[in-house]
Amino acid sequence: MSNYLEFEKPLADIEGKAEELRAMARANDEMDVEQEAAALDKKAADMLAELYKGLTPWRKCQVARHPDRPHCADYIEALFTEYTPLAGDRNFADDHAIMGGLARLGDTPVVVIGHEKGNDTKTRIERNFGMARPEGYRKAIRLMDLADRFGLPIITLVDTPGAYPGRGAEERGQSEAIARSTEKCLQVKVPLITVVIGEGGSGGAVGIAAGNKVLMLEHSIYSVISPEGCASILWKDAEKMREAAEALRLTAQDLQKLGVCDDIIAEPLGGAHRDRAGTIARVGKALEEQLRVLGKKSPEKLVKERRQKFLDMGKKGL
């Protein structure tokens, strides 16, 4: 582990000491530190289990934003074969915050669309930290139209703080593009499965997330606004983000009770970033299961159930 969250600092100290002991042993063959290192490993494992036993909503926000968490490109590389990226909205530009194209999940041809945040300074700037502009949503509409035309299921991977709020984006019709993308999600006559793999922020997430099934990773979040933004509006103080996170009911567990999330995909102990391959495999298994179930339904039933799912939101759990 190279990146530890604020609440994980005591764990970082213990794991760091264990690694120091092993580094000393590697440098000196006569040293035998395995017993002491193993004791530190056990202590670290116990602490990790205790830290993640009852995460607060704010801590879940931190885990959902962890820089080492697998992103959309990682899922596409690991789960899909024959991935052929498609670029541009055929109008203005190609938005790198939303990626997508044709691919296969197992033996099933699909269209996959997702937010990509990037994994280092260069790629995060290139991807605009996962905050899409209008051309990104218009690209998503183009891909969904393609999927609808050829009868291909759509898989969307959501991981964004929200749509980009810059002046240029507003001038090019950001809200209209998100609304059209959401409308297209509700209209397509093919299965549409959404997985929130990290942050699901506001309309920027909903624009590609109005699916037949909305799945969430255990420590992902999905909300109309970020806790910091909510705190700034309600209390004029972004430092009240912990209180805002509690009030927003943004965790996967809360959203399942409210009927927003259909199923929760378990993460390894300590979050997706501690076992990236294991997390990706679990998501792949969940997607294959949903494709099997939804693939048996008629186009008319898919559209009707998807529409009813969103009309029913707000009637359950409060």
Side-chain angles (χ1 to χ4, degrees):
M1 284 286 294
S2 56
N3 293 298
Y4 287 88
L5 300 170
E6 182 185 353
F7 69 89
E8 294 178 323
K9 285 180 180 176
L11 180 65
D13 293 337
I14 297 171
E15 290 186 341
K17 286 174 184 174
E19 181 53 37
E20 282 176 21
L21 284 174
R22 291 193 170 98
M24 290 167 62
R26 287 194 294 269
N28 185 349
D29 294 337
E30 296 179 2
M31 289 186 68
D32 183 10
V33 300
E34 196 50 43
Q35 189 174 350
E36 292 88 340
L40 287 171
D41 286 343
K42 184 180 184 309
K43 187 177 179 182
D46 291 343
M47 181 176 287
L48 183 66
E50 187 63 30
L51 285 172
Y52 278 80
K53 186 168 67 176
L55 289 179
T56 64
W58 174 243
R59 286 185 175 181
K60 280 188 178 283
C61 290
Q62 292 176 288
V63 177
R65 296 168 175 172
H66 197 288
D68 296 333
R69 198 173 176 85
H71 294 148
C72 179
D74 301 313
Y75 286 93
I76 289 176
E77 183 180 358
L79 291 179
F80 298 89
T81 56
E82 299 180 40
Y83 174 63
T84 305
L86 299 176
D89 66 346
R90 298 296 185 266
N91 183 39
F92 183 78
D94 182 36
D95 183 3
H96 298 293
I98 287 185
M99 61 187 299
L102 302 166
R104 285 184 184 273
L105 181 65
D107 295 328
T108 307
V110 299
V111 167
V112 58
I113 306 168
H115 300 99
E116 173 55 41
K117 287 183 172 181
N119 51 30
D120 56 30
T121 302
K122 181 181 178 182
T123 55
R124 283 171 190 149
I125 292 170
E126 178 190 349
R127 301 287 186 177
N128 200 33
F129 301 88
M131 295 186 291
R133 297 176 171 87
E135 45 273 22
Y137 294 102
R138 292 179 180 128
K139 174 167 68 173
I141 293 168
R142 188 169 73 84
L143 291 173
M144 286 188 273
D145 270 332
L146 190 69
D148 204 20
R149 188 184 315 160
F150 293 105
L152 302 175
I154 301 167
I155 293 169
T156 64
L157 303 173
V158 172
D159 189 15
T160 179
Y164 185 59
R167 178 176 173 179
E170 297 297 340
E171 288 174 344
R172 293 193 299 280
Q174 181 71 288
S175 59
E176 183 268 346
I178 292 171
R180 295 282 184 192
S181 187
T182 307
E183 179 186 40
K184 181 57 65 177
C185 286
L186 294 169
Q187 288 175 341
V188 291
K189 296 178 180 178
V190 295
L192 200 166
I193 306 164
T194 294
V195 185
V196 182
I197 58 175
E199 287 185 276
S202 192
V206 175
I208 63 168
N212 291 93
K213 295 293 180 181
V214 177
L215 315 180
M216 292 182 69
L217 281 173
E218 181 182 357
H219 301 311
S220 62
I221 59 171
Y222 192 16
S223 175
V224 69
I225 192 172
S226 70
E228 297 91 336
C230 176
S232 296
I233 292 170
L234 292 184
W235 295 292
K236 312 298 182 191
D237 181 4
E239 291 303 310
K240 287 190 176 287
M241 65 274 191
R242 291 168 183 80
E243 293 89 333
E246 291 277 353
L248 283 168
R249 308 282 287 275
L250 44 62
T251 68
Q253 294 72 23
D254 279 337
L255 292 170
Q256 189 177 39
K257 292 175 187 173
L258 293 169
V260 176
C261 164
D262 295 294
D263 202 4
I264 297 172
I265 302 170
E267 294 188 29
L269 181 62
H273 53 281
R274 283 187 172 261
D275 183 4
R276 294 161 62 92
T279 302
I280 292 170
R282 291 179 189 186
V283 169
K285 186 177 178 182
L287 287 172
E288 288 174 355
E289 177 60 29
Q290 292 296 339
L291 282 176
R292 275 195 296 272
V293 173
L294 294 175
K296 299 173 183 176
K297 298 185 178 183
S298 68
E300 293 74 20
K301 190 170 184 181
L302 287 168
V303 174
K304 183 179 179 181
E305 286 185 356
R306 193 186 307 133
R307 174 181 169 80
Q308 195 59 46
K309 170 185 171 62
F310 285 85
L311 286 174
D312 288 343
M313 283 185 185
K315 296 179 181 179
K316 180 182 174 184
L318 290 174

